[in-house]
Amino acid sequence: MAHKCRALVLFCMDYRLNRQLFAFLDHEGLLAGGADIVRLAGAAKNLARPASEAVFHFVMEQIDTSRRLHHIDTVYLVNHEDCGAYGPEDIPDSNQELQVHRRDLLAGAKIVEEAFPGITAHPCFMWLDGRCQAVT
Ligand SMILES: [Zn+2]
C-alpha cells in the first residue's frame, strides 16, 4: 500500500525545541497532513557546510527516501536560535546569528531544489520561543 505525505522537515535534534517543533508542524498543517522528520544537530548546516561528506549524503538520502516512499513535494529546512551546532567560529557576534543561519538555509534550499526537481524548499528560522519566520 502506498503512503503519502506532504513534506519532510529537516530540524535540529535540540530537545529544547520539541514542543515548538510540534507547534510548528501543527501550524503548517503537517500534523494531520503528515511530515517525515529528520532531526540532526544544525539542520541546514549539514547541507550548506557539512562536517563530512557522509553527513551530507545521509541527509540527501533521507530526502530521497521520503520522496520515493512518501511522494513529498516540500522540504522545510528549519534552523533555530542559540543552536549548539553553531559555535563562535560560525557566529563570532550574536548580532550576526540570523544572517549566518539565513546564508546556510538559502544555500541548503538551493541544494535541495537542484538535486530534487519538483520539490520546493522552505527555509525557516525558529526562535527559542517557537516563533518561526520564513527566510528569503
Ligand atoms: Zn540546534
Side-chain angles (χ1 to χ4, degrees), residues 37-92:
I37 301 170
V38 176
R39 297 193 69 168
L40 205 58
K45 187 182 185 185
N46 297 290
L47 293 173
R49 293 181 296 123
S52 67
E53 285 279 309
V55 76
F56 177 85
H57 287 297
F58 172 79
V59 175
M60 294 299 271
E61 279 176 10
Q62 294 292 293
I63 296 169
D64 191 48
T65 299
S66 180
R67 185 185 62 80
R68 286 185 296 103
L69 295 184
H70 298 154
H71 312 287
I72 57 165
D73 59 18
T74 305
V75 171
Y76 289 83
L77 305 173
V78 188
N79 280 21
H80 70 90
E81 180 183 13
D82 193 36
C83 183
Y86 285 79
E89 70 281 7
D90 300 303
I91 305 173

